[in-house]
Amino acid sequence: MKDRPELPRSAAPVAAARGRVEVVATPIGNLADLSPRARESLQRADLVAAEDTRRTGQLLAAFGIERPIVSLHTHNERARSADLLARLAEGVTIALVSDAGTPVLSDPGFELVRSAAAAGHEIVAIPGPTAIAAALAISGLPVERFCFEGFLPARPRERRARLAELAAETRAMVFFEGPHRLAESLVDMAAAFGADREAIVARELTKAFETVYRGTLAELGMRVTADPNMTRGELTLVVAGLGRGAPGQEGDAAQEAAARLALERTLRVLLRELAPSKAAALAAQLTGARRSDAYALALSIAESTPG
């Protein structure tokens, strides 16, 4: 299938009609998770905008659905959204899907949804599977408050800087990661958050080989080097927030100890690249610590670090 097929058009376009975008969640692995409402949406849509036309074609075929499909992925989203806006102006209904799960969440679709909403078209959610909620639900960690961080930067320096910014985060954190970067990401997380921070690595959620690895970041980091299966398939990580990584961390003393630990971990990451004064200034902003305390600790760490 060509990347830019001619978009099918209705026989009698209606000028300035109000179109409709249905953001449809599709299974993240198990086809039985496609909801009846999602199936109905795909059946009645005038057009399906898909991250991967081949993969979506297979999904539709599995349910006996035949609809026109066009690609909408990272590399063509802005240009293709303009074409789709023209179709929405004719009054068509577009079903937006990603390869798996809920579109827009670390998947294409933002440009289309934003521009369609700005143009006054109807945007409707057809909720369903998402690896984010699935991983949180089975994590066994405190997740009443959480933040979704998606994929970390691929470059080590940028990844470590981002993790340093999250060192004082008290909410549970959800990450996506590729198999080839899992080991180094776990090492960097242990350095930024502490080796004893609790976490899970959820692999192949809802699929035949679904596996959940539980432990501290240090334990998970060691296990990934010994278990080749851990780096196979799609991975979702949930990391406990600061002060929530181990049962029983309560009270002012524990909070103060956790805050100092967060400051120290942040400084150790920043001191790899920055002078103590600059590292202290940035660490104070990231953790909320006093700059004088951060600077004193930075000097202490610098003096005790070889080289």
Side-chain angles (χ1 to χ4, degrees):
M1 182 178 294
K2 296 181 179 179
D3 183 56
R4 289 179 60 88
E6 181 179 350
L7 302 183
R9 297 183 175 276
S10 57
V14 179
R18 189 167 185 246
R20 177 183 174 101
V21 176
E22 297 188 350
V23 183
V24 183
T26 56
I28 58 177
N30 193 320
L31 290 181
D33 291 335
L34 186 72
S35 71
R37 187 178 174 212
R39 183 172 179 175
E40 180 183 343
S41 171
L42 293 171
Q43 287 174 326
R44 68 168 180 254
D46 297 299
L47 187 67
V48 177
E51 182 179 5
D52 185 326
T53 56
R54 180 176 299 180
R55 188 162 179 172
T56 297
Q58 293 172 342
L59 173 68
L60 297 185
F63 289 93
I65 300 172
E66 295 184 7
R67 304 309 300 152
I69 308 174
V70 296
S71 65
L72 184 75
H73 51 68
T74 303
H75 302 294
N76 76 349
E77 182 172 358
R78 182 159 295 184
R80 180 52 56 81
S81 291
D83 296 337
L84 295 175
L85 278 176
R87 296 305 320 280
L88 288 170
E90 298 172 356
V92 305
T93 294
I94 297 174
L96 171 65
V97 300
S98 60
D99 283 355
T102 302
V104 184
L105 305 181
S106 276
D107 281 324
F110 168 75
E111 293 286 348
L112 175 61
V113 170
R114 184 178 179 86
S115 56
H121 299 296
E122 187 178 10
I123 313 295
V124 178
I126 311 294
T130 166
I132 302 167
L136 286 166
I138 64 174
S139 69
L141 300 172
V143 297
E144 64 274 8
R145 298 179 66 243
F146 68 90
C147 60
F148 173 57
E149 289 296 321
F151 286 95
L152 288 165
R155 295 179 179 177
R157 181 175 178 176
E158 295 174 0
R159 180 173 61 247
R160 290 165 185 161
R162 180 63 189 133
L163 290 172
E165 294 173 354
L166 295 169
E169 178 59 68
T170 58
R171 296 171 295 178
M173 294 166 281
V174 184
F175 301 89
F176 291 158
E177 191 52 278
H180 57 292
R181 280 201 298 268
L182 178 62
E184 57 191 80
S185 289
L186 286 171
V187 169
D188 288 340
M189 286 180 180
F193 302 149
D196 58 348
R197 185 78 67 90
E198 289 185 337
I200 70 160
V201 176
R203 182 178 77 90
E204 295 287 85
L205 284 168
T206 78
K207 299 179 184 177
F209 297 102
E210 175 179 318
T211 311
V212 180
Y213 301 86
R214 306 175 188 273
T216 65
L217 288 170
E219 292 167 344
L220 292 170
M222 289 187 290
R223 186 166 185 178
V224 75
T225 61
D227 185 354
N229 287 327
M230 197 169 172
T231 56
R232 293 174 179 167
E234 297 181 346
L235 305 170
T236 305
L237 286 71
V238 181
V239 181
L242 178 65
R244 310 303 303 277
Q249 289 187 331
E250 300 175 353
D252 293 340
Q255 291 179 10
E256 290 176 7
R260 181 175 174 81
L261 190 57
L263 175 60
E264 180 179 347
R265 290 168 181 162
T266 303
L267 283 168
R268 289 189 181 279
V269 174
L270 295 175
L271 285 168
R272 297 173 185 171
E273 307 290 343
L274 300 175
S277 60
K278 292 184 178 179
L282 183 55
Q285 293 179 26
L286 293 173
T287 65
R290 291 186 300 182
R291 186 166 179 172
S292 58
D293 292 342
Y295 184 58
L297 184 55
L299 289 177
S300 176
I301 294 172
E303 291 172 359
S304 63
T305 302

